[in-house]
């Protein structure tokens, strides 16, 4: 039986450095190639030596697919393709292809220029890597080779995020990447058709959460920001430049407008303008409402939100600052955080998930004293708020996706083991399908049970149909008789005559004969006639013929009579019948 | 397998394919050349048009003065312009399962097919085709409803009377099929039946047939279609281009191994080279402006206009036209310009690369930003106060029968300083100009048609090698006016199967195999010998 194998190199019972290997129908596919925000050593990248110990990966992978531009899904891509070595195709959507190199360059700068790491990928490597990228359009069926095809679906989450359906023959796998089942202020909801994959590989970041309504969370967020501003505090919102940032900007922009607030809102990094341009040019990837009204009013042109300068952080008075990166693990958001952490009037709002090891994760867990580089400690006095704005599907959303796609098996990645365990139980109970949650480096094997496609010759089909009475119902199985020819990877079912002709074989007939001796004084012809009349009286309902050449035929059995050479009273009966298959006699209607 | 041909217009096709018990309509083009028989609809009162004499037959027995007017030596119908619809009697339109649209010019008859006919199927189109198609329909409705004309003219359609009329009215065919424009409500209802598809997306129809759009290189989102089962393949080629303009290049290789290739939408200007025409367009434009005249470009609001603007963007500085105002006037001008910038996925490689930067793919964004190009919804309002001459005006409709262009014809027609430059190939420019004669303004004819020419198509067919080709009968003989040009027709072996309006063709198919599936339970017990 054919098997599909899934091995996470990253994101197995963990969040970060997503990288999942799938073997299906003899093809090997790498899904995502991310980095881990929580590590600064080798563990930062997936362990590609799992694939091969000897260098380049090109011979071992048929393609690489990147689901979206977040670094935990694409951060290891230049390392994998340029430093480990991979020259095959890399697929991602147009917005991902546009934005991914910018974030990679940012990541490189922080790591190499600020932290002074060496042996890291270079700008040129990012460029070379991106040259290997083939853009994907939504719903387009891309033929990677003759057998492997992939198709992208809208995933919400961030601009350009996609789920991907991977198919070889009648076996298939769906990988969700990160997705969101509820539309937000700037993106639509994920959608997939009833593609019934053998395995659905889903993220499970919020496996145990069922989040309250978005409206409530938005109101909460605005209230907290407003209160802090009112008492003269400064609000830091660590975000990634693209994604949640735009959603929260739209939210604050409309709130400022409505409440006529004057406190400045800043957006850090030079990316702002550029980021918003991407949203304007890829507006077809945003939600329905924004798409419908973009000609009259483009939602990504902000009036209240200005570019941030490092010196503003020391300005007196209230302000709101969006700064990157989102988990407070490096860069500008961390710098501002250090400056403001000592004042209890200030506030930091974490709008997304933080992986273990980051400062974001530490303060969310209530840590109030942080060890910084150079043994200094930092007292955290400012208010820490967590608001789940990151656009992942919650438990309800994951169940909803399962209902949409109707997978035969479920596999969870990109989540914490304890939470996965809970969700796994729920899925197995509700859908009666197997649910797997392999750890990194652990392989899950699923046996598939595909039907075998065969081309049947129209002649044979018509003949079989004529034998079988009414037209065959394409949905119901039916027994047929023919010869199966396997040739150059194709299967053909043809009549035996045609098969002989095509294969250049002579037809051989297998006949069985037996001799029966009996005593009868009559002439040969008389004996035969007596046998004929006897059989006629005994075998009613059978075709029995007496032919002029001196044979009797019962259906297809031939009977001849001759006298023994020694004794003319001893007659020898020759019976002969051809080989007939059991199916032909027994099972086939009309046979 | 049968093909029902509902339109005789080779570039505005409407065919129905019956294939494996599915009924598939391929395009529903609206033949608008019928509007040339009507009087223009002026936006402001035109004393000239309102005082035209009514038509009376020579012997005085037939007086249709209310319906028909004599103008510049020709007779025109004085009513809201009407369009020639696809044939609606040849087969029951309610039996159509799906409609496949190839590009936004070939869907303008959609409301006539999907509304009030019992149609319950699905329409498939790409996103740019739907969005721009919607805009063009909106524009058409707007042009008509802005200048309401209560009067409808039907008496002249009477066969006995039509026979007595002067040409070209006398020779107009199927006049009873002509219909007035649809309403916005009908447009919305028709377009709500559209389901979006992407290039190379495989759409299963009832498990029997698979259809898939391919890039055709002609306009934003334009597609050819593959219609196939496991063992039969029909390619539908409509409006394709091999020139490098703004759309994604044509996908040729996927057309290979077709049993039947239905070929429509070749260039209407087989002897005019688009690049040459573009050069002529620029030089005539510059010449007129330098002499102090205005330039009028009657055009559709989407399509070639993007290329014209891109060409002018490069040309303006070198030709010293930096201070000349360029106006684009249409109820959908703004939308069309904005929409063109957001379809990165559907653009040629160069334009995609610009979006990655991120910069707008079309340079008309910069023309607008620097105030060189201004767009207005109509001549009323802001335009009337801001408008400076000499200038260049892009406006529709290219038939010169309705839209803002009618106003500019009345305004500029009498001065020989001005020039009208025709760039759209859909209408004979002499017929378009007929009701405005005599004209003093210069007329330049630079039709730009980027669709395949006969040379390109025969090369393409050699490459993809379909077993049979089906095409409009016009492609199987040289054009009437150039009967010696045997290079302006399709010569193929076996010869193409020609069709005309109302033809029903039996498509030649030799099916040998059908697809079945062996159940896994059965497959495991098979032993190979």
């Amino acid at each position: 039986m054919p098997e599909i194998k899934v091995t996470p190199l990253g994101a197995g019972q963990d969040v970060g450095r997503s990288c999942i290997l799938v073997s299906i129908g003899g093809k090997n596919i790498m899904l995502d190639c991310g980095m881990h925000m929580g590590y600064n050593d080798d563990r930062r990248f997936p362990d590609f030596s799992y694939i091969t110990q000897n260098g380049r990966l090109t011979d071992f992978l048929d393609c690489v697919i990147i689901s979206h531009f977040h670094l935990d899904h694409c951060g290891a891509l230049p390392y994998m393709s340029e430093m480990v070595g991979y020259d095959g195709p890399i697929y991602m959507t147009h917005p991902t292809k546009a934005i991914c190199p910018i974030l990679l360059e940012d990541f490189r700068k922080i790591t190499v220029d600020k932290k002074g790491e060496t042996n890291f990928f270079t700008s040129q490597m990012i460029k070379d890597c991106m040259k290997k990228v083939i853009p994907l359009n939504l719903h387009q069926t891309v033929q990677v080779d003759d057998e492997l095809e992939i198709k992208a679906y809208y995933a919400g989450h961030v601009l350009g995020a996609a789920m991907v359906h991977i198919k070889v023959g009648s076996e298939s796998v769906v990988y969700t990447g990160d997705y969101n089942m509820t539309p937000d202020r700037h993106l639509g909801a994920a959608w997939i058709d009833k593609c019934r994959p053998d395995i659905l590989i889903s993220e499970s970041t919020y496996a145990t959460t069922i989040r309250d309504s978005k409206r409530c969370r938005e109101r909460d967020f605005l209230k907290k920001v407003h209160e802090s501003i009112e008492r003269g505090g400064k609000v830091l919102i660590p975000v990634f430049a693209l994604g949640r940032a735009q959603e929260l900007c739209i939210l604050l922009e409309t709130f400022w407008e409505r409440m006529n607030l004057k406190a400045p809102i800043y957006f850090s990094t030079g990316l702002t303008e550029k980021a918003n341009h991407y949203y304007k040019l890829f507006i077809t990837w945003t939600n329905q409402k924004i798409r419908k009204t973009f000609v009259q009013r483009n939602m990504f042109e902000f009036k209240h939100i200005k570019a941030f300068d490092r010196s503003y952080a020391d300005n007196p008075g209230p302000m709101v600052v969006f700064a990157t990166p989102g988990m407070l693990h490096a860069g500008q958001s961390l710098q501002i955080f250090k400056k403001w952490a000592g004042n209890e009037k200030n506030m930091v709002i974490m709008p997304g998930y933080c992986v273990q090891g980051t400062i974001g994760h530490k303060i969310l867990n209530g840590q109030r004293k942080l060890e910084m580089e150079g043994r200094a400690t930092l007292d955290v006095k400012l208010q820490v708020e967590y608001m789940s704005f990151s656009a992942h599907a919650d438990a309800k959303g994951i169940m909803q996706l399962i209902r949409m796609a109707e997978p035969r098996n479920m596999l969870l990645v990109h989540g914490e083991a304890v939470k996965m365990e809970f969700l796994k139980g729920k899925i197995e109970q509700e859908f009666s399908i197997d649910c797997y949650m392999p750890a990194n480096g652990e392989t899950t094997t699923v046996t598939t049970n595909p039907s075998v496609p065969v081309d049947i010759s129209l002649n044979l089909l018509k003949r079989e149909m004529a034998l079988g009475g009414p037209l065959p119902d394409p949905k119901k199985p039916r027994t047929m008789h023919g010869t199966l020819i396997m040739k150059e990877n194709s299967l053909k079912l043809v009549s035996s005559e045609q098969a002989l002709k095509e294969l250049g074989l002579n037809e051989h007939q297998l006949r069985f004969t037996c001799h029966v001796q009996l005593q009868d004084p009559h002439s040969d012809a008389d004996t035969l006639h007596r046998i004929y009349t006897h059989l006629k009286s005994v075998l009613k309902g059978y075709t029995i013929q007496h032919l002029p050449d001196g044979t009797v035929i019962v259906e297809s059995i031939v009977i001849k009579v001759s006298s023994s050479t020694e004794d003319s009273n001893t007659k020898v009966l020759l019976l002969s019948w051809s080989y007939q298959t059991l199916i032909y006699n027994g099972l086939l209607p009309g046979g | 397998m049968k093909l029902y041909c509902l339109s005789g217009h080779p570039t505005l096709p409407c065919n129905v394919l019956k294939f494996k018990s599915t009924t598939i309509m391929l395009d529903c083009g609206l033949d608008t050349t019928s509007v040339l028989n009507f009087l223009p609809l002026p936006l402001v009162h035109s004393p000239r048009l309102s005082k035209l004499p009514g038509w009376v037959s020579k012997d005085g027995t037939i007086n249709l003065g209310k319906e028909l007017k004599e103008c510049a030596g020709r007779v025109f119908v004085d009513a809201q312009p009407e369009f020639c619809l696809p044939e609606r009697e040849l087969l029951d339109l309610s039996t159509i399962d799906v409609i496949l649209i190839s590009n936004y010019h070939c869907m303008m008859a959609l409301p006539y097919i999907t509304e009030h006919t019992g149609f319950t199927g699905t329409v498939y189109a790409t996103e740019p085709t739907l969005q721009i198609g919607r805009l063009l329909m909106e524009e058409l409705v707007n042009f008509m409803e802005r200048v309401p004309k209560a009067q409808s003219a039907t008496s002249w359609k009477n066969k006995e009377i039509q026979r007595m009329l002067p040409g070209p009215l006398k020779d107009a065919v199927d006049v009873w099929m002509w219909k007035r424009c649809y309403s916005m409500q009908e447009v919305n209802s028709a377009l709500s039946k559209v389901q979006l598809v992407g290039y190379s997306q495989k759409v299963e129809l009832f498990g029997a047939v698979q259809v898939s759009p391919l890039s055709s290189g002609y306009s934003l989102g334009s597609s050819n279609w593959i219609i196939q089962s496991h063992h039969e393949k029909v390619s539908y080629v409509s409006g394709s281009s091999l020139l490098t303009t703004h759309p994604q290049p044509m996908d040729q290789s996927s057309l290979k191994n077709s049993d039947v290739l239905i070929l429509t939408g070749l260039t209407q200007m087989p002897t005019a080279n688009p690049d040459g025409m573009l050069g002529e367009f620029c030089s005539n434009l510059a010449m007129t402006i330098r002499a102090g005249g205005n330039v009028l470009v009657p055009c559709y609001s989407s399509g070639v206009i993007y290329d014209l603007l891109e060409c002018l963007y490069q040309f303006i500085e070198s030709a010293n036209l930096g201070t000349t105002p360029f106006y684009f006037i249409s109820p959908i001008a703004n939308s069309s310009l904005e929409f063109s910038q957001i379809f990165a996925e559907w653009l040629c490689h160069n334009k995609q690369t610009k979006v990655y930067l991120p910069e707008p793919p079309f340079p008309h964004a910069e023309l607008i930003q620097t105030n060189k190009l201004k767009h207005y919804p109509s001549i009323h309002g802001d335009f009337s106060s801001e408008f400076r001459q000499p200038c260049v005006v892009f406006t529709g409709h290219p038939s010169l029968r309705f839209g803002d262009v009618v106003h500019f014809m009345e305004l500029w027609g009498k001065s020989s300083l001005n020039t009208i430059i025709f760039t759209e190939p859909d209408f004979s420019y002499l017929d378009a100009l007929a009701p405005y004669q005599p004209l003093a303004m210069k007329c330049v004819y630079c039709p730009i048609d980027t669709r395949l020419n006969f040379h390109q198509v025969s090369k393409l067919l050699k490459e993809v090698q379909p077993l049979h080709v089906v095409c409009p009968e016009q492609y199987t003989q040289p054009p009437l006016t150039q009967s010696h040009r045997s290079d302006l027709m399709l010569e193929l072996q076996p010869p193409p199967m020609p069709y005309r309006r109302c033809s029903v063709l039996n498509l030649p198919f030799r099916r040998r195999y059908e697809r079945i599936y062996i159940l896994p339970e059965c497959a495991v017990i098979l032993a190979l010998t």
Side-chain angles (χ1 to χ4, degrees):
Chain A
M1 280 289 182
E3 289 173 340
I4 301 176
K5 290 189 171 143
V6 182
T7 315
L9 296 186
Q13 303 181 3
D14 186 19
V15 176
R17 61 165 192 190
S18 281
C19 184
I20 294 133
L21 299 178
V22 172
S23 289
I24 173 172
K27 308 285 168 185
N28 297 318
I29 298 121
M30 179 186 285
L31 300 168
D32 280 337
C33 190
M35 51 89 71
H36 203 297
M37 308 267 185
Y39 299 117
N40 283 323
D41 51 22
D42 281 353
R43 290 172 293 172
R44 175 165 54 199
F45 293 144
D47 180 11
F48 297 113
S49 67
Y50 177 90
I51 303 172
T52 172
Q53 301 279 355
N54 328 312
R56 303 183 73 77
L57 305 176
T58 313
D59 293 340
F60 301 91
L61 292 175
D62 291 278
C63 74
V64 174
I65 303 169
I66 302 295
S67 64
H68 64 286
F69 59 64
H70 278 156
L71 288 174
D72 58 330
H73 293 259
C74 69
L77 194 59
Y79 170 75
M80 192 274 301
S81 76
E82 305 310 306
M83 296 174 80
V84 181
Y86 169 72
D87 300 319
I90 301 169
Y91 293 95
M92 53 179 85
T93 65
H94 283 272
T96 308
K97 186 182 173 188
I99 295 163
C100 173
I102 295 170
L103 298 184
L104 286 171
E105 181 59 30
D106 244 34
F107 172 40
R108 190 197 66 80
K109 270 196 196 139
I110 290 176
T111 321
V112 177
D113 299 354
K114 294 241 170 81
K115 294 192 192 157
E117 281 190 43
T118 50
N119 193 22
F120 203 70
F121 55 78
T122 63
S123 295
Q124 188 56 42
M125 286 178 184
I126 298 176
K127 283 188 190 125
D128 292 341
C129 165
M130 294 312 291
K131 280 187 199 139
K132 297 170 185 170
V133 172
I134 302 171
L136 270 179
N137 295 326
L138 285 182
H139 301 168
Q140 172 192 19
T141 307
V142 175
Q143 215 69 48
V144 177
D145 58 35
D146 285 347
E147 286 145 8
L148 173 60
E149 60 180 51
I150 57 177
K151 182 177 177 182
Y153 291 89
Y154 189 78
H157 188 62
V158 289
L159 194 73
M163 305 192 277
V164 52
H165 184 230
I166 300 145
K167 194 172 162 215
V168 179
S170 52
E171 295 173 280
S172 68
V173 169
V174 168
Y175 173 59
T176 64
D178 291 356
Y179 64 105
N180 188 10
M181 295 300 286
T182 44
D184 62 30
R185 281 184 184 261
H186 74 308
L187 295 175
W191 177 87
I192 196 162
D193 50 27
K194 194 174 287 180
C195 52
R196 298 197 174 97
D198 292 298
I199 309 178
L200 173 63
I201 305 174
S202 171
E203 65 134 328
S204 49
T205 323
Y206 291 125
T208 53
T209 337
I210 291 182
R211 283 178 299 170
D212 45 3
S213 91
K214 192 110 196 183
R215 294 264 160 221
C216 295
R217 259 176 293 148
E218 286 176 359
R219 215 176 310 129
D220 241 31
F221 169 77
L222 292 172
K223 203 173 129 209
K224 277 178 184 149
V225 172
H226 195 195
E227 281 168 5
S228 191
I229 295 293
E230 290 282 279
R231 60 170 185 262
K234 295 178 167 58
V235 181
L236 170 65
I237 309 172
V239 288
F240 288 97
L242 287 127
R244 242 17 58 198
Q246 275 68 28
E247 185 189 1
L248 297 177
C249 282
I250 292 175
L251 197 61
L252 282 189
E253 168 93 4
T254 37
F255 187 67
W256 250 237
E257 186 109 10
R258 190 155 47 98
M259 305 293 287
N260 202 15
L261 297 177
K262 293 284 179 277
I265 308 176
Y266 297 114
F267 200 117
S268 82
T269 83
L271 258 176
T272 350
E273 197 65 5
K274 227 174 167 183
N276 293 338
H277 261 302
Y278 281 117
Y279 278 85
K280 281 190 228 170
L281 292 172
F282 286 113
I283 210 126
T284 53
W285 287 79
T286 60
N287 71 27
Q288 192 115 31
K289 193 177 151 212
I290 293 183
R291 268 173 14 215
K292 262 203 163 140
T293 55
F294 90 104
V295 176
Q296 290 79 40
R297 161 153 171 53
N298 200 313
M299 290 296 273
F300 298 104
E301 277 163 16
F302 301 116
K303 269 188 274 170
H304 296 275
I305 300 166
K306 310 254 158 42
F308 181 74
D309 185 280
R310 197 177 300 184
S311 62
Y312 296 174
D314 298 320
N315 285 359
M319 67 174 83
V320 178
V321 176
F322 288 95
T324 56
M327 300 187 192
L328 287 178
H329 56 282
Q332 200 153 32
S333 63
L334 184 59
Q335 282 172 18
I336 299 171
F337 175 77
K338 285 187 202 162
K339 270 198 178 142
W340 294 357
N343 189 338
E344 58 274 8
K345 267 205 284 184
N346 296 340
M347 181 188 282
V348 60
I349 301 181
M350 306 297 298
Y353 183 86
C354 291
V355 302
Q356 264 188 355
T358 60
I359 291 188
H361 188 264
K362 287 176 191 157
I363 58 169
L364 281 181
N365 279 328
Q367 211 171 316
R368 302 308 271 183
K369 269 199 197 309
L370 298 171
E371 281 172 39
M372 307 309 281
E373 283 145 42
R375 289 206 207 136
T377 52
L378 182 68
D379 281 322
V380 180
K381 290 188 182 148
L382 88 177
Q383 277 190 64
V384 178
E385 295 289 347
Y386 174 65
M387 303 241 98
S388 155
F389 271 96
S390 63
H392 294 280
D394 59 4
K396 210 167 94 192
I398 295 170
M399 302 303 252
Q400 205 181 331
L401 188 78
I402 299 176
R403 234 164 273 134
M404 263 184 183
E406 293 190 0
R408 295 191 183 86
N409 296 278
M410 191 69 194
L411 192 144
L412 300 176
V413 293
H414 199 283
E416 291 159 25
V418 189
K419 296 182 181 176
M420 277 185 182
E421 199 73 59
F422 174 80
L423 183 65
K424 172 177 146 73
K426 240 182 111 177
I427 290 170
E428 289 180 330
Q429 187 191 359
E430 186 163 339
F431 297 100
S432 316
I433 56 175
D434 288 330
C435 181
Y436 305 89
M437 38 176 283
N440 287 337
E442 187 188 322
T443 301
T444 297
T445 306
V446 168
T447 308
T448 59
N449 206 8
S451 296
V452 183
V454 170
D455 293 333
I456 183 170
S457 99
L458 219 54
N459 285 338
L460 180 63
L461 187 68
K462 279 184 185 153
R463 199 167 78 188
E464 293 288 329
M465 267 158 48
L467 289 174
L471 287 172
D473 179 345
K475 297 245 160 73
K476 290 232 173 78
R478 175 191 162 103
T479 315
M480 277 188 184
H481 183 235
T483 311
L484 195 64
I485 304 181
M486 282 177 83
K487 217 179 183 179
E488 290 148 9
N489 252 341
S490 79
L491 288 173
K492 278 197 301 191
L493 190 66
V494 298
S495 63
S496 44
E497 301 87 60
Q498 194 183 335
L500 288 170
K501 220 162 112 192
E502 271 186 39
L503 301 174
L505 298 174
N506 287 323
E507 187 173 355
H508 296 276
Q509 265 199 13
L510 190 60
R511 289 194 82 85
F512 297 87
T513 54
C514 80
H515 296 265
V516 179
Q517 290 194 0
L518 53 93
Q519 296 297 315
D520 188 40
H522 299 91
S523 74
D524 292 0
D526 280 351
T527 311
L528 191 68
H529 190 75
R530 282 157 59 99
I531 290 171
Y532 170 67
T533 36
H534 177 70
L535 288 176
K536 263 208 109 120
S537 68
V538 183
L539 298 174
K540 295 252 160 51
Y542 286 83
T543 339
I544 303 171
Q545 286 171 286
H546 189 179
L547 299 182
D549 67 344
T551 52
V552 165
I553 296 180
V554 183
E555 296 285 318
S556 61
I557 301 166
V558 180
I559 304 170
K560 278 186 176 177
V561 173
S562 56
S563 302
S564 156
T565 40
E566 293 107 48
D567 174 11
S568 65
N569 280 347
T570 308
K571 297 286 184 295
V572 179
L573 247 67
L574 172 79
L575 279 86
S576 160
W577 66 97
S578 68
Y579 175 73
Q580 285 166 349
T581 59
L582 179 68
I583 290 178
Y584 200 72
N585 277 330
L587 293 180
L588 209 82
Chain B
M1 185 163 322
K2 277 188 174 164
L3 188 72
Y4 297 77
C5 309
L6 311 188
S7 159
H9 196 300
T11 32
L12 297 165
C14 183
N15 295 312
V16 174
L17 178 70
K18 288 207 174 187
F19 183 54
K20 302 210 80 167
S21 59
T22 52
T23 306
I24 303 170
M25 179 177 271
L26 306 167
D27 278 332
C28 44
L30 185 63
D31 185 351
T32 51
T33 51
S34 54
V35 303
L36 293 173
N37 296 295
F38 290 75
L39 274 185
L41 296 177
L43 281 175
V44 287
H45 179 75
S46 156
R48 182 181 77 92
L49 290 172
S50 59
K51 279 189 220 138
L52 294 173
W55 180 80
V56 183
S57 66
K58 276 202 190 99
D59 56 7
T61 51
I62 310 169
N63 185 341
L64 288 179
K66 279 222 173 83
E67 290 189 1
L68 303 180
K69 296 277 155 63
E70 274 186 69
C71 175
R74 282 216 209 182
V75 177
F76 293 93
V77 182
D78 186 14
Q80 201 194 84
E82 295 176 344
F83 309 124
C84 179
L85 271 51
E87 196 62 43
R88 297 201 288 181
E89 306 298 321
L90 197 59
L91 85 166
D92 181 357
L93 295 178
S94 70
T95 61
I96 290 172
D97 297 311
V98 294
I99 303 179
L100 309 180
I101 304 292
S102 58
N103 62 67
Y104 47 76
H105 288 301
C106 291
M107 65 185 285
M108 299 300 278
L110 200 59
Y112 296 116
I113 305 290
T114 61
E115 305 310 298
H116 320 300
T117 57
F119 173 82
T120 55
T122 310
V123 183
Y124 289 98
T126 63
E127 178 157 19
T129 299
L130 170 67
Q131 300 300 0
I132 297 174
R134 179 194 296 279
L135 292 179
L136 292 177
M137 288 180 176
E138 244 175 69
E139 185 186 47
L140 202 60
V141 173
N142 187 295
F143 281 161
M144 295 296 175
E145 290 182 351
R146 217 160 53 172
V147 210
K149 217 164 191 173
Q151 164 169 295
S152 61
T154 50
S155 310
W156 71 275
K157 292 182 180 177
N158 182 307
K159 265 202 183 107
E160 291 307 308
I161 295 177
Q162 198 198 353
R163 216 158 43 86
M164 314 287 287
L165 299 178
L169 269 185
K170 185 172 80 171
D171 307 314
V173 289
D174 301 313
V175 292
W176 280 107
M177 304 285 293
W178 293 10
K179 284 272 172 327
R180 308 176 85 178
C181 190
Y182 31 73
S183 68
M184 210 48 224
Q185 196 189 354
E186 286 166 319
V187 170
N188 288 332
S189 172
L191 295 182
S192 70
K193 293 163 180 135
V194 175
Q195 190 153 333
L196 296 181
V197 286
Y199 287 149
S200 309
Q201 179 176 345
K202 293 175 179 171
V203 180
E204 292 285 343
L205 305 180
F206 319 107
V209 180
Q210 193 184 61
V211 297
S212 185
L214 306 173
S215 176
S216 77
Y218 169 58
S219 61
L220 273 174
S222 70
S223 23
N224 293 322
W225 289 84
I226 300 289
I227 302 125
Q228 62 186 343
S229 65
H230 283 291
H231 292 284
E232 294 94 12
K233 177 169 173 179
V234 179
S235 294
Y236 173 57
V237 174
S238 164
S240 300
S241 177
L242 291 171
L243 297 181
T244 323
T245 59
H246 58 275
Q248 209 182 95
M250 177 182 180
D251 178 352
Q252 300 179 58
S253 57
S254 304
L255 299 171
K256 279 183 184 162
N257 303 322
S258 309
D259 297 289
V260 172
L261 187 143
I262 303 169
L263 180 68
T264 66
L266 300 183
T267 176
Q268 302 183 75
M269 296 293 144
T271 52
N273 171 341
D275 280 331
M277 289 293 131
L278 207 53
E280 224 167 283
F281 169 80
C282 287
S283 64
N284 276 293
L285 184 144
M287 222 148 58
T288 305
I289 296 291
R290 273 192 212 114
N294 299 295
V295 176
L296 179 61
V297 187
C299 60
Y300 291 115
S301 299
S302 179
V304 175
I305 185 168
Y306 304 141
D307 299 316
L308 291 179
L309 291 174
E310 181 151 9
C311 176
L312 287 171
Y313 170 79
Q314 291 154 359
F315 179 72
I316 284 173
E317 296 307 323
S318 65
N320 232 343
L321 296 174
T323 55
T324 311
F326 286 76
Y327 300 116
F328 177 17
I329 302 167
S330 155
I332 62 157
N334 186 24
S335 298
S336 167
L337 294 171
E338 289 286 337
F339 268 106
S340 67
Q341 307 285 20
I342 64 159
F343 291 125
E345 284 98 324
W346 310 88
L347 292 172
C348 64
H349 183 74
N350 277 345
K351 295 222 175 303
Q352 276 181 0
T353 321
K354 285 189 83 177
V355 175
Y356 292 163
L357 290 177
E359 276 171 26
F362 285 96
H364 54 239
E366 197 184 319
L367 287 176
I368 294 168
Q369 219 167 32
T370 54
N371 264 330
K372 289 189 173 113
L373 173 68
K374 292 188 173 182
H375 53 82
Y376 301 89
S378 88
I379 53 164
H380 301 300
D382 291 347
F383 176 71
S384 49
S385 53
E386 291 172 16
F387 150 74
R388 282 186 297 121
Q389 302 193 68
C391 63
V392 180
V393 170
F394 296 88
T395 188
H397 184 269
S399 66
L400 307 188
R401 291 303 180 272
F402 44 84
D404 301 90
V405 71
V406 175
H407 180 73
F408 288 98
M409 285 307 294
E410 298 281 330
L411 189 69
W412 289 345
K414 285 158 210 79
S415 165
S416 62
L417 280 178
N418 302 327
T419 305
I420 178 169
I421 310 181
F422 290 90
T423 55
E424 300 290 352
D426 284 2
F427 300 92
S428 142
Y429 79 105
L430 287 174
D431 288 338
L433 289 172
Y436 300 98
Q437 299 290 4
L439 274 176
M441 105 197 278
K442 280 197 291 288
C443 302
V444 178
Y445 188 51
C446 305
I448 297 173
D449 194 332
T450 58
R451 286 171 280 213
L452 295 175
N453 62 35
F454 286 99
H455 175 68
Q456 291 166 326
V457 81
S458 47
K459 215 174 132 203
L460 171 75
L461 291 175
K462 240 176 233 153
E463 207 118 293
V464 304
Q465 296 206 320
L467 291 182
H468 299 276
V469 173
V470 176
C471 69
E473 62 176 356
Q474 289 92 331
Y475 297 161
T476 59
Q477 63 224 8
L480 282 176
T481 49
Q482 289 156 299
S483 52
H484 61 288
R485 295 285 299 267
S486 62
D487 56 327
L488 300 184
M489 60 180 278
L490 275 183
E491 273 187 292
L492 298 171
Q493 237 8 280
M497 303 173 60
Y499 73 79
R500 62 171 71 172
R501 193 180 169 102
C502 288
S503 295
V504 179
L505 303 184
N506 268 312
L507 299 185
F509 265 97
R510 283 198 21 223
R511 297 202 295 148
R512 289 220 183 94
Y513 288 96
E514 191 63 78
R515 175 58 57 90
I516 58 168
Y517 291 88
I518 300 184
L519 290 180
E521 300 88 291
C522 178
V524 289
I525 56 164
L526 285 179
L528 295 182
T529 53

